[in-house]
Amino acid sequence: MIDVNRKGEVWVFAEQHGGKIEDTPLELMSKARRLADTLGVKLAAAVLGDRIKPLAKKLVRHGADKVYLAEHPLLGQYQTNSYAKVMYDLIHKHEPQIVLYGATIAGRDLAPRIASATKAGLTADCTDLQIGDHTTAKDKKVHKNLLFQIRPAFGGNIVATIINLDRWPQMATVREGVMPMPDADTSRKGKIIEEMVELTREYLPLDIIDEHKRPKKVDLKAARIIVAGGAGVGSRDNFQLVWDLANCLGGAPAATRAAVDLGFIDHDHQVGQTGTTVRPSLYVAVGISGAIQHQAGMAQSQKIVAVNNDPDAPIFQVAHYKILGDLNDVVPLMIKTIKEKGIQE
Amino acid sequence: MAYKCVVLIKQVPDTKRVTGDVMNDDGTVKRSALPAIFNPEDLNALETALEIKDRFGGHITVITMGLPGAAAILRESLYRGADDAILVTDRRCAASDTLATSYILSCAVKKLDYDIVLCGRQAIDGDTAQVGPQLAEKLGITQITYVEQLIELSSKTITAQRNIGNGWQQVKAELPVLLTVVGDANEPRVAAARKMMKYKKASTPIEVSEQIKAENPKADEAEIAELLELRAKALEEKGLLIKQWDLDSLEADLAWCGMSGSPTKVHRIQSVVLAAKESKDIHPTPDGIADMIHELIEEKTIA
Ligand SMILES: Cc1cc2nc3c(=O)[nH]c(=O)nc-3n(C[C@H](O)[C@H](O)[C@H](O)COP(=O)(O)OP(=O)(O)OC[C@H]3O[C@@H](n4cnc5c(N)ncnc54)[C@H](O)[C@@H]3O)c2cc1C
Ligand SMILES: Cc1cc2nc3c(=O)[nH]c(=O)nc-3n(C[C@H](O)[C@H](O)[C@H](O)COP(=O)(O)OP(=O)(O)OC[C@H]3O[C@@H](n4cnc5c(N)ncnc54)[C@H](O)[C@@H]3O)c2cc1C
C-alpha cells in the first residue's frame, strides 16, 4: 500500500494482447482524463508487453499525458504473476493516486492479485467514477477529492458508491461498454517513459498449451441501432421478426438472457449485466419485460422504443416510445412503415 | 495419487428473488427477507473437488466464513461428499471487504494441508470475483481463474481449461494451485440420501450449546460448558462435529480483519430506481407507428 498521495497521477492499465489494446481501457481513457483534470494531475497509461512501442503513441492520442512502457520478452503473453509483479513495482515506484483496470477477463484476474500484494483496496466492476468528498461519521473529518467508485451489486439490485480513504492507490476495475470511446487526437503530445523490467521465469508458473478465440458473431457496441427481442417473441422461428426489423433499420439484432436461454439466438447477442452493455442511438425492445439485469445493459440508449402487451412491464418506465400491443402485429407494421418511407424518400 | 482439496464456500441471500418489498427505504437490502442459499458457483467448485476425489481419491475440506447459520451450507456439502467442514465465525469478521475476507480465509487454509484450493468464480451478493485471486496471492500459490473444465491431473501437475470470454485457453501448472470455477463447468450433484442420514446431526459447537440451552433452560454457564464438552466429544468421535474457528484460533492479525482491515468503505448505497423519462404512448395502429417512425427520421435517429 502507498500513503495518501494527492500529487499522484491517475493511471489506466492499458491491457493489450498480441500488440492490440483492448477496447475497455481505451474507453476508460476519456473518463480517466476527466478525473485527472478535476484533480489537476497527469493521466498516465501503463502498458506491458513485448515489442509494443507503437502502442504508446496510440495511448497518447487517446488522452494520456504519459505512457509507462514496460517491455520484456517474458511479458509477450499475459500471465497473472508476471504482470502483477511488474505492475506492483511500477505502482510502488511512481505512487499513482488512482489505478484503473478494465473489468475484462484478464483485468479481473490481475487487479485483485495486485491489490492483495499491495494491500490496497479494489472496487469491482464499476459503471461510473467521480471525484467527491466524504465525511467520516465518527470524527466528522472531511476527506476531500476521493475517487467515488460506483458499482452495481446484489445481482444488480443496488448501486453502491465505494471509497478508499487512506490505503492507496485507489483502485477499481471498470465494466466494458459503460463509457464512450474517446476519439483519437493525432495532435496530442505525451511523454513516453521506458521502464526497466526485471523478470525471471519463476514469474511464469503457467504453461499455456493452447488457446482458441472465436470472433464475436456481432459487434453490438458498434451498432447505432439495436433491435432486441425477449422471451415474449415466443420461438426461434418467430425471432425472424427481430432480424427483419433490425435489417430494415440497418441495425443489429440483440436479445435478453431469457431469449438466449430459450435458444432463440446466440449468446453473443445478449444485452445486460452478463452480456454486452450498449448505448446506441435507438434501442427497440420487443417482448422484453425490462428486468434490472437487462436494463443494466441498455438504459443508457439515447432513444428507447418498447413493444409489450403488458401495461405494467418495467421496460415502459425507461422507454421514450411506449407501444402497448401484440408484437406480432406491431413489428410487421413497423417493418412495413419503414419500407414504405424508404420508397418515398 | 490422491489429492487434498479445500473448497471455500459462501452462504448468500438469493439475490435472484429480490423484489420491491425486499428493499429498505434507504436503499439497503433486508437480507433477512431473502432465503439464504449456497452460492451457486461454489456448488460448481465443490463438484469439481468431488470429481477429483471420485477419480483419484483424496480428502475434501469445506470452509465458510460467515454467521453461525452458515453451518447449513457446510452440512449440505457433507451430504454431497465432503469429508470435513469448518465454520470461521467471529463478530470481528463483520464488515470485511474482499481484502480482509481473503486474509482471514488464508489464515484458515494455511492451517490445512492441501494440493488444490477451489473457489467459485463469484458470489451473487458482493459480485466482485476478487476473493479467489486475493486468496491465491496470500497463500503464495498459482491461480487459474474461470476454470470451465479440468483436463488432467497427474502426480504434481494440473491441466485445466479456462473460459476467456470469447473462447478458451488451456493451461498447465504445478500444484499447489487455486482454481476459481465457473457455473458452466459441471452439473452439481444432489445430496445423497445415505449421507444425509449420516450427517443430518452434524453440528457446530454454537449449535450444540444452543440446543443444550433449549433443553436445560435453568442451566448455568458452567453446566452448559460441561455438557457442551461432553456432547462435542461424542459428536467428534462419530465424525459429526463441524469445526468452529474464531480469529484467535486462526492467530489472525486483527489489524487486517473486519472493518479496520478493509480499505474499501461504502460511501452510499442506493436501490436501483427505474428512471422515469419523458415518454409518449404510441397507438399500435398504422397511423401511430407512422408518426413515430416519422419523428425518429426527422430527428435523425433513423437514417
Ligand atoms: C445474475 C443475473 C444476471 C442476469 N443477466 C442478464 C442479462 O445480462 N441480460 C438479460 O436480458 N437478462 C439477464 N438476467 C435475467 C433477467 O433477470 C430476466 O430474467 C430477463 O431479462 C427476462 O427476459 P425477457 O424480458 O426476455 O423475459 P420475460 O421477463 O419473460 O418477459 C417477456 C415479456 O414479453 C411480453 N410479451 C409476451 N408476449 C408478448 C406479445 N405477444 N407481444 C408483446 N409482448 C409480449 C411479456 O409481457 C413480458 O413483459 C440476469 C439475471 C440474473 C439473476
Ligand atoms: C454492496 C456491496 C458492494 C461491495 N463492493 C466491494 C468492492 O467493490 N470491493 C471489495 O473489496 N469488497 C466489496 N464488498 C465487500 C464484499 O462483498 C465482501 O468482502 C465479501 O465478503 C466477499 O466478496 P464477494 O461476495 O464479492 O465474493 P467473491 O469475491 O465474488 O467470491 C468469490 C469466491 O470466494 C469465496 N468466498 C467469498 N467469500 C467467502 C466467505 N465468506 N467464506 C468462504 N468463501 C468465500 C467463494 O468461493 C466465492 O465463490 C461489497 C459489499 C457490498 C454489500
Side-chain angles (χ1 to χ4, degrees), chain A residues 230-231 256-258 270-274 287 289 293-294 308-309 326-327:
Chain A
T256 63
R257 182 154 108 180
Q270 184 179 313
V271 167
Q273 188 180 317
T274 45
S289 60
Q293 297 88 359
H294 186 73
N308 202 303
N309 59 7
D326 190 324
L327 66 92

Side-chain angles (χ1 to χ4, degrees), chain A residues 181-201:
Chain A
M181 171 103 64
D183 291 328
D185 174 355
T186 46
S187 68
R188 277 192 57 89
K189 297 263 175 304
K191 203 163 141 194
I192 294 162
I193 299 138
E194 294 186 28
E195 291 286 338
M196 285 283 291
V197 176
E198 282 177 47
L199 263 189
T200 54
R201 294 225 156 256

